[in-house]
Amino acid sequence: MTLPRRGRGRRDNGLDAALWSPVRDVDPRVGEHLLDLLEAAGIAAYLEPSTDTDAYTRTVSLPSPPSDRLYVDRARRLEA
């Protein structure tokens, strides 16, 4: 039985983790390469478009230039 994926962004490296931790925002042009490197190291990771939220109006906007936020397995964050 296959369990549904939880907490995954738009792109991932196919590995799963119970808990996720954001590492940093990365240029979308290198995000896929980072996913491949983390997969080779056995570290679950995914990318999600970064957003900024206005503290007062709660309006969500995309940063300029666009970036992706890299999330990794919380248990292996320091290694990642």
Side-chain angles (χ1 to χ4, degrees), residues 6-8 15-21 44 46 72-76:
R6 296 175 320 214
R8 296 278 179 99
L15 303 176
D16 200 16
L19 298 171
W20 300 96
S21 182
Y46 73 89
V72 298
D73 181 347
R74 183 178 287 177
R76 300 190 64 193

Side-chain angles (χ1 to χ4, degrees), residues 54-75:
D54 184 273
Y56 181 71
T57 64
R58 308 304 291 166
T59 305
V60 175
S61 61
L62 296 174
S64 180
S67 63
D68 286 336
R69 185 154 296 147
L70 176 65
Y71 290 84
V72 298
D73 181 347
R74 183 178 287 177

